[in-house]
Amino acid sequence: MAETEQADGGGIEAEANAAAKPKARLKMIIAAVGVLAVIGGGAGWFFFFRHHGEETRAEAGPPPKPPAFIELPDMLVNLAGNPGDRVQFLKVKLTLEVKEEKQAEPIKLKLPRVTDIFQTYLRELRPSDLSGSAGLFRLKEELTRRVNLVLAPNEVSAVLFKEIVVQ
């Protein structure tokens, strides 16, 4: 009879062990997936973010050369207006910005043409064309476009206002 009790008792333990084995396997699988996720996340960070900084440093290269500036003579022009209106004047001091100093010499030789094209354009303006920051921005863009047409193949990066007075 002892054998049957041991067999019955052993059967209960076997059933408990059989039920515990799938739970233990499930815990092992979850733990393994968690460990792989942590390792995969670390490896992904390592490959994507670590190399990003090295590429930026490799592309930086030597520092860019400082731009050169060319001063233009002061310009005083009368603005276009309706007949009988009070005459208004525009006084501007301009500077041309070029990318490198070596570009400045050929441009200095053509400054009379630049002054002429600016004078001609500025005399066509009305006081309302210069109102507000949007008007000045449009003026700056138009002067840059015109100077680049005159100076081609040389290029001016920007026309800078040192002083602008509408009177």
Side-chain angles (χ1 to χ4, degrees), residues 5-148:
E5 286 179 12
Q6 277 184 345
D8 288 341
I12 295 173
E13 286 180 22
E15 288 177 17
N17 285 341
K21 281 186 181 181
K23 288 183 182 179
R25 273 193 185 157
L26 183 61
K27 287 181 183 179
M28 289 297 287
I29 291 173
I30 291 173
V33 168
V35 168
L36 289 175
V38 169
I39 291 172
W45 178 85
F46 180 77
F47 285 115
F48 288 112
F49 294 112
R50 179 178 169 268
H51 294 294
H52 180 67
E54 290 177 5
E55 291 171 2
T56 305
R57 278 185 254 133
E59 291 174 9
K65 295 179 182 178
F69 299 99
I70 303 167
E71 300 267 337
L72 293 178
D74 296 355
M75 289 183 234
L76 179 65
V77 297
N78 57 330
L79 297 174
N82 295 328
D85 285 348
R86 187 182 110 214
V87 177
Q88 290 187 307
F89 294 95
L90 171 68
K91 179 181 178 183
V92 290
K93 288 184 181 180
L94 300 171
T95 301
L96 303 177
E97 180 182 352
V98 293
K99 292 182 182 175
E100 295 178 354
E101 184 66 36
K102 67 181 180 181
Q103 292 177 329
E105 289 306 316
I107 292 173
K108 287 180 182 177
L109 297 174
K110 294 183 179 180
L111 279 183
R113 287 184 189 267
V114 172
T115 304
D116 177 60
I117 198 76
F118 284 173
Q119 290 268 349
T120 306
Y121 176 69
L122 292 173
R123 287 181 57 89
E124 296 173 5
L125 294 175
R126 294 180 303 273
S128 61
D129 294 335
L130 301 172
S131 63
S133 62
L136 292 178
F137 181 76
R138 283 191 301 269
L139 176 62
K140 182 185 276 197
E141 292 298 314
E142 185 62 28
L143 292 176
T144 304
R145 187 185 72 79
R146 288 176 183 260
V147 76
N148 282 329

